Amino acid sequence: MTYTPFTVPNAPLYRQVMRAFLTAKERFAVHLRPEDVYAALDAGSRPADVEAVTQALDKLVEWGNLRADPDHARVTAVE
């Protein structure tokens, strides 16, 4: 079964996350970290912490709505 961010529990959060990516794309930014997405959400309805956004991003990737790429900018060791 395929899920969309519009027909599941937490749908408002998924819509806000997708909207953050659409807004970023209009500025030619296609890679966002969870903190970037969190900051882009409406302050009045954003979750209490970044972890909820991270979980929403994971679900959207799982469902095929977004693609996750490794963040090489945060690498601190060769391993």
Side-chain angles (χ1 to χ4, degrees), residues 1 10 34 36 42 44 50 52 60 65 69 71 76-78:
M1 180 186 311
N10 294 328
D36 301 328
D42 180 49
V50 176
L60 290 166
N65 299 98
D69 294 323
D71 186 358
T76 58
V78 175

Side-chain angles (χ1 to χ4, degrees), residues 39-77:
L41 300 180
D42 180 49
S45 60
R46 79 169 58 127
D49 61 10
V50 176
E51 183 58 32
V53 172
T54 301
Q55 291 173 359
L57 289 167
D58 290 342
K59 280 296 187 185
L60 290 166
V61 168
E62 179 184 324
W63 296 331
N65 299 98
L66 293 174
R67 188 184 81 212
D69 294 323
D71 186 358
H72 299 292
R74 292 189 177 181
V75 174
T76 58

